[in-house]
């Protein structure tokens, strides 16, 4: 019997999730069907209810529905509870369970795939939107020495500091007040999608620093190119995060963790 899964979003036609999960299924011998579902902006709850009523087993949720998924879940994993967003849904004991695998995906890509330690490091997060909020609970669990959130509207960064203050040393700053050096810099802004970057000082990076862009494209992102030009030892895009968060969802649904490296290589055309 083939179990049904899907990604829901608006837009959703760009999603690589079906390709990723079908590669996972072939690798692990799991029998699944995984589709894209374009959901009307005012029809998310009905779409989710209908999917599970028709025998669907699990959903990935992408923009702009992650906060609605959080509200819809009957119970939430601790990392999703704190993140205020859900990207993975499934049924358990008659309840709709919500989880958030985004932060785990990024941290696993950094630490496991690329050997970038986070414990005891000074970490800078660029941006204060949903991507950064979803990352913070998992990042703080890695015990960095300090996390600084930089944002154009510093009040948004300060709101995250207040929300996550109990997780470790955390502060907010405006871009024009940034002072390095940082060991790890993670770009959680969407500016790079339009070819832009936040204003970053030239001395932002510590020696041997790692830079990570949460978005990805066909070639190096604007932030990756900036990092390489300013001496980063490691400059990565978010494709690994995409595959790792999908693997975490697959583990929740199927009880087996697929190997991510061959999937990442396939997506890059290696």
């Amino acid at each position: 019997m083939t179990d049904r899964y899907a990604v829901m979003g608006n837009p959703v036609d760009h999603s690589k999730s079906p390709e990723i999960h079908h590669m996972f299924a072939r690798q692990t011998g799991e029998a699944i069907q995984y589709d894209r579902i374009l959901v009307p902006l005012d029809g998310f709850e009905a779409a989710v209810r209908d999917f599970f009523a028709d025998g669907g087993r699990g959903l990935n949720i992408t923009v702009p529905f992650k906060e609605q998924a959080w509200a819809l879940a009957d119970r939430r994993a601790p990392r999703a509870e704190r993140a205020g967003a859900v990207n993975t849904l499934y049924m358990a004991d008659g309840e709709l369970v919500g989880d958030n695998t985004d932060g785990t995906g990024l941290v696993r890509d950094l630490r496991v795939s690329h050997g970038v330690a986070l414990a005891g490091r000074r970490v800078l997060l660029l941006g204060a939107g949903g991507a950064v909020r979803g990352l913070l609970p998992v990042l703080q669990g890695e015990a960095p020495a300090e996390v600084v959130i930089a944002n154009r509207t510093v009040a948004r960064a300060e709101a995250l500091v207040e929300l996550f203050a109990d997780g470790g040393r955390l502060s907010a700053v405006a871009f024009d007040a940034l002072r390095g050096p940082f060991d790890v810099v993670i770009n959680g802004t969407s500016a790079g999608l339009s070819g832009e970057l936040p204003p970053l000082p030239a001395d932002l990076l510590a020696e041997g620093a790692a830079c990570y862009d949460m978005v990805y494209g066909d070639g190096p992102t604007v932030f990756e190119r900036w990092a390489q030009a300013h001496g980063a030892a490691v400059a990565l895009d978010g494709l690994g995060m995409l595959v790792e968060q999908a693997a975490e969802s697959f583990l929740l649904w199927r009880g087996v963790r697929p190997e991510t490296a061959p999937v990442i290589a396939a997506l890059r055309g290696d």
Side-chain angles (χ1 to χ4, degrees):
M1 180 179 174
T2 301
D3 293 327
R4 290 178 51 235
Y5 299 88
V7 56
M8 287 187 172
N10 187 333
V12 77
D13 60 339
H14 65 287
S15 175
K16 296 182 184 294
S17 292
E19 187 178 357
I20 291 168
H21 281 278
H22 286 141
M23 282 192 274
F24 288 165
R26 289 192 294 272
Q27 179 193 122
T28 59
E30 297 289 309
I32 72 165
Q33 173 188 335
Y34 191 109
D35 302 305
R36 298 178 186 88
I37 300 177
L38 177 65
V39 177
L41 294 178
D42 61 352
F44 177 70
E45 180 173 353
V48 171
R49 301 290 188 202
D50 289 347
F51 178 83
F52 285 107
D54 289 343
R57 295 291 303 274
L59 288 170
N60 286 131
I61 309 299
T62 188
V63 292
F65 299 119
K66 292 184 182 182
E67 291 183 358
Q68 289 187 51
W70 185 93
L72 188 59
D74 297 314
R75 58 184 171 92
R76 295 174 285 269
R79 60 189 174 184
E81 185 71 41
R82 294 214 69 188
V86 156
N87 79 331
T88 305
L89 289 169
Y90 60 96
M91 299 296 297
D93 300 323
E95 291 185 306
L96 184 63
V97 181
D99 207 335
N100 190 316
T101 66
D102 287 332
T104 300
L106 188 155
V107 168
R108 186 175 177 86
D109 190 38
L110 267 177
R111 184 166 47 77
V112 178
S113 299
H114 298 283
V116 176
L118 293 164
R121 312 296 291 279
R122 191 167 190 242
V123 180
L124 173 63
L125 301 180
L126 304 176
V132 168
R133 178 170 171 163
L135 170 61
L136 269 167
V138 182
L139 177 61
Q140 288 181 311
E142 294 293 309
E146 179 185 12
V147 177
V148 177
I149 306 171
N151 197 56
R152 279 196 171 90
T153 306
V154 72
R156 293 193 67 189
E158 289 170 342
L160 289 184
V161 169
E162 184 175 351
L163 189 62
F164 292 96
D166 60 343
R169 188 177 173 194
L170 185 63
S171 61
V173 67
F175 284 127
D176 59 8
L178 265 177
R179 299 291 181 271
F182 289 94
D183 302 302
V184 180
V185 181
I186 299 171
N187 181 28
T189 73
S190 58
L193 295 173
S194 55
E196 299 174 358
L197 262 189
L200 302 175
D203 60 352
L204 189 65
L205 304 182
E207 184 177 352
C211 291
Y212 196 101
D213 201 337
M214 294 176 79
V215 302
Y216 62 92
D218 293 332
T221 67
V222 175
F223 179 66
E224 277 184 279
R225 292 198 296 270
W226 178 92
Q228 291 163 351
H230 288 81
V234 177
L236 304 165
D237 70 6
L239 184 64
M241 170 186 174
L242 175 71
V243 176
E244 293 292 350
Q245 65 81 25
E248 187 77 5
S249 293
F250 196 90
L251 174 63
L252 289 170
W253 294 332
R254 309 300 297 182
V256 58
R257 177 181 288 282
E259 293 293 325
T260 52
V263 175
I264 294 170
L267 290 174
R268 293 200 190 278
D270 295 345

